[in-house]
Amino acid sequence: MSHYDTIVIGAGNAGLMAATRLQREGSKTLLLERHNVPGGCATSFVRGDFEFEVALHQLSGVGTESEPFIMRRVFEELGVLDKIELVMEEELYRIIIPGKLDVTLPADWLELQNHLITLFPNEKEQINKFFKLSEAVVKEYYFVLPRVRLANDEEKIRTKCPNFSAYGLRSTTEVLNEFFSTEDLIDVITPYWSYVGIPTTDLVFAEFIGMLYFYCVYKPWHIKGGSQMLSSALLSSFEEAGGEVRFHCAAEKILTQNGAVCGVILETGETITCDAVVSNASPLITYHELLDLETPPNSVIKDFKSRRMGVSAVCLYLGLDCSPEELGFTTASTFVMTTSNSSVTEDRMYTLDAPDWGMVTCYNFIDEELAPKGKAVVTLVALQYGEAWKDIPPEKYISTKYEFGSKLIDLIEKAYPNIRQHIEKAEVATPMTMMRYLNTPGGAIYGFKQMLQDGHLMRESLDAIEGLYSSSSWTSMGGFQPTYLNGYFTARKIIKQLRRNSKSGVSA
């Protein structure tokens, strides 16, 4: 019977990152993946002349060579930085509300502040105050609060983090309305709410402004060739360090003994023993389907009952027979809305009604090789909950998904007319696609709903079973950087525990 220090179930972002760090730091690791390629959402596919990036729009947390941030350091540490080519985007995004505004924002904190003052000179004083406060909130929330919280002293938190205490946990809408009276200004700076799938009425200000600030300071990045290149680079680094990966190989059961992990049964029937398991699957699947207990531990059940399912999406992948410039594209990322931010709610996301918000990514501006010269690769995205699709009869599914895709094109054509007549290839992915391909409940792309009470400030990690670790978008904020880091820090916890066990002579 084979034995490994750690078995990682699933080669998604967090699973790949955890496996690579574990193996490189001396933990004999087996990586299991039920598909034939690594990556999960971090992958690409080819249709005709076009290669489509599945999910990555802008990678955060990288920083420049002269001012590296955490992801660049992690990639270098894990031996993947020299295996990928990073391409920096100069703009945050373009936002278009047809007939109302069309604004492109620079990916620079000071330039953004000055640009907004130029666009909205009557708000100059408030913009300056807002940017000063925002920078203070970000620094307190991300760099001071994690240390101060260890003292478990609320008064110390208020003293050391006064701006966060006053504004950080309030809703983004509430804070913006306190500072600004111009609706267009609020519309221009709010589109990044979509990167966590929660409208600004519910998204806490510290999380929202952190995204805007870090994308400005450390820039938005693209990986040349798509995120599949990073997934392949991580896998290569893992194997170079002696790690073993098995594709087309799913885990059937996680075995426990005396309240601790002791092994995994593969779908082939083979049993492999181990000291720790990292599950890149949803904790719902991990604890209800994979774990060999009849019912999950009470603490886990209690945690699940207080959660809400996160949002999914409809993605329309288009290969166009013309250049992006011919259609009026000027940036890699565009947000198109037919309503103001104040009117954005989740209600429409639970239906198949025509979307009033959509995101457009044109990768040609950052990676020309994804389409032949004179052609373009464009992805359209509308957030939507899986509930809207669960009752569609199988015989109507194909027609329904293309009907919804057509509605999404109708929205985007308000900003980029005539895009429909240039479509050469089209693929539609729905929440059902996400559910099948990613094995994720409800097709959720960010895991549980990213509410304040579900974040790291309010939740303890799921550690009811010794040696079992959940690592995915379901156990951190969603998105690429958070899930990569979730896997990275999960690996650190395991390495520390394995070393403690080794020193004490205890076998997990």
Side-chain angles (χ1 to χ4, degrees):
M1 186 180 297
S2 300
H3 180 85
Y4 293 82
D5 296 322
T6 311
I7 296 176
V8 178
I9 300 172
N13 288 352
L16 274 171
M17 185 66 79
T20 303
R21 185 177 186 187
L22 284 163
Q23 184 64 40
R24 287 175 65 89
E25 295 204 26
S27 172
K28 183 182 178 184
T29 304
L30 172 65
L31 176 60
L32 305 175
E33 172 53 52
R34 65 195 186 99
H35 291 301
N36 64 335
V37 293
C41 280
T43 188
S44 62
F45 64 93
V46 175
R47 293 292 184 273
D49 288 337
F50 308 97
E51 183 168 359
F52 296 104
E53 164 62 45
V54 168
L56 179 61
H57 303 288
Q58 297 175 316
L59 181 61
S60 58
V62 175
T64 62
E65 289 187 18
S66 59
E67 293 186 64
F69 199 41
I70 188 167
M71 292 311 303
R72 185 180 291 270
R73 295 175 187 139
V74 167
F75 292 155
E76 184 172 22
E77 175 191 327
L78 298 184
V80 300
L81 189 59
D82 61 350
K83 292 181 171 68
I84 58 175
E85 183 176 345
L86 293 164
V87 184
M88 188 177 78
E89 298 180 40
E90 299 293 337
E91 297 88 15
L92 292 178
Y93 52 78
R94 179 182 181 186
I95 177 169
I96 301 174
I97 301 182
K100 186 179 182 185
L101 61 83
D102 185 343
V103 173
T104 300
L105 298 185
D108 182 274
W109 188 243
L110 182 58
E111 287 182 21
L112 174 61
Q113 182 176 352
N114 293 333
H115 189 56
L116 292 176
I117 290 172
T118 301
L119 293 173
F120 307 99
N122 60 312
E123 295 271 23
K124 178 179 178 179
E125 183 178 352
Q126 290 303 104
I127 290 172
N128 287 332
K129 289 180 179 178
F130 176 78
F131 271 71
K132 183 178 180 180
L133 168 80
S134 296
E135 189 166 355
V137 169
V138 169
K139 290 181 177 179
E140 290 173 6
Y141 180 48
Y142 289 96
F143 302 110
V144 180
L145 184 63
R147 297 194 302 270
V148 175
R149 284 183 68 226
L150 297 176
N152 198 28
D153 184 337
E154 291 187 13
E155 182 57 34
K156 190 173 183 180
I157 291 176
R158 284 191 291 269
T159 301
K160 297 291 187 180
C161 305
N163 298 286
F164 169 78
S165 297
Y167 288 93
L169 299 184
R170 293 166 61 184
S171 80
T172 301
T173 293
E174 183 182 354
V175 175
L176 293 175
N177 287 339
E178 178 178 320
F179 277 85
F180 305 127
S181 58
T182 306
E183 184 178 67
D184 284 358
L185 172 55
I186 294 175
D187 287 341
V188 164
I189 63 176
T190 48
Y192 275 156
W193 66 262
S194 58
Y195 280 12
V196 291
I198 304 177
T200 56
T201 49
D202 296 321
L203 180 60
V204 295
F205 180 67
E207 292 287 353
F208 166 77
I209 201 61
M211 286 189 288
L212 188 62
Y213 178 84
F214 287 124
Y215 272 120
C216 283
V217 174
Y218 298 109
K219 314 303 180 186
W221 292 83
H222 173 75
I223 301 158
K224 192 166 185 181
S227 58
Q228 181 67 68
M229 300 301 291
L230 178 52
S231 299
S232 297
L234 283 165
L235 180 66
S236 175
S237 182
F238 169 72
E239 291 184 305
E240 287 169 4
E244 180 184 343
V245 60
R246 298 190 191 184
F247 290 111
H248 295 296
C249 185
E252 186 72 25
K253 281 294 174 184
I254 299 171
L255 302 177
T256 61
Q257 186 175 13
N258 300 323
V261 162
C262 63
V264 171
I265 299 178
L266 308 184
E267 63 180 356
T268 60
E270 180 184 357
T271 297
I272 303 175
T273 62
C274 63
D275 299 322
V277 167
V278 178
S279 178
N280 196 189
S282 161
L284 296 172
I285 291 175
T286 300
Y287 282 89
H288 285 294
E289 298 180 19
L290 292 178
L291 198 60
D292 65 351
L293 303 180
E294 289 187 11
T295 58
N298 288 333
S299 61
V300 174
I301 293 175
K302 183 179 179 181
D303 182 274
F304 289 168
K305 285 182 177 179
S306 62
R307 302 275 194 175
R308 283 173 284 178
M309 191 67 70
V311 74
S312 187
V314 172
C315 301
L316 180 56
Y317 305 97
L318 299 178
L320 307 179
D321 65 5
C322 64
S323 70
E325 291 83 1
E326 289 178 68
L327 291 174
F329 283 96
T330 58
T331 58
S333 298
T334 308
F335 295 93
V336 181
M337 304 166 63
T338 57
T339 185
S340 65
N341 182 75
S342 61
S343 299
V344 173
T345 69
E346 292 183 319
D347 295 345
R348 192 182 295 257
M349 301 180 200
Y350 285 96
T351 73
L352 294 177
D353 293 343
D356 56 5
W357 172 95
M359 183 171 63
V360 190
T361 304
C362 182
Y363 293 98
N364 290 62
F365 286 99
I366 41 183
D367 195 347
E368 295 179 354
E369 296 179 7
L370 297 179
K373 187 175 179 60
K375 296 186 178 184
V377 173
V378 174
T379 301
L380 316 181
V381 180
L383 296 179
Q384 193 174 52
Y385 282 90
E387 283 86 340
W389 294 83
K390 65 181 181 181
D391 295 326
I392 296 174
E395 65 272 14
K396 293 185 178 181
Y397 172 72
I398 298 297
S399 61
T400 301
K401 77 173 187 177
Y402 280 102
E403 285 169 8
F404 191 90
S406 183
K407 294 175 184 177
L408 186 51
I409 294 173
D410 289 340
L411 169 67
I412 303 307
E413 277 200 314
K414 297 179 187 298
Y416 299 108
N418 304 318
I419 191 173
R420 187 186 299 271
Q421 68 188 50
H422 290 282
I423 297 174
E424 184 175 315
K425 291 288 183 181
E427 290 284 349
V428 182
T430 73
M432 300 301 290
T433 312
M434 316 299 179
M435 191 183 306
R436 288 192 298 267
Y437 180 74
L438 300 174
N439 194 29
T440 177
I445 55 175
Y446 299 127
F448 291 117
K449 195 171 184 180
Q450 308 281 286
M451 302 295 287
L452 170 63
Q453 59 267 32
D454 294 325
H456 66 279
L457 287 178
M458 305 293 183
R459 296 276 181 175
E460 299 293 333
S461 58
L462 297 173
D463 55 4
I465 304 295
E466 183 181 343
L468 177 57
Y469 301 82
S470 286
S471 186
S472 67
S473 62
W474 296 81
T475 51
S476 68
M477 292 298 287
F480 275 64
Q481 178 191 343
T483 49
Y484 282 131
L485 291 179
N486 189 241
Y488 179 81
F489 289 119
T490 297
R492 182 174 69 177
K493 289 169 61 177
I494 295 171
I495 291 163
K496 286 183 176 180
Q497 185 59 52
L498 291 176
R499 286 173 180 169
R500 283 195 293 266
N501 292 345
S502 177
K503 287 180 180 179
S504 64
V506 175
S507 178

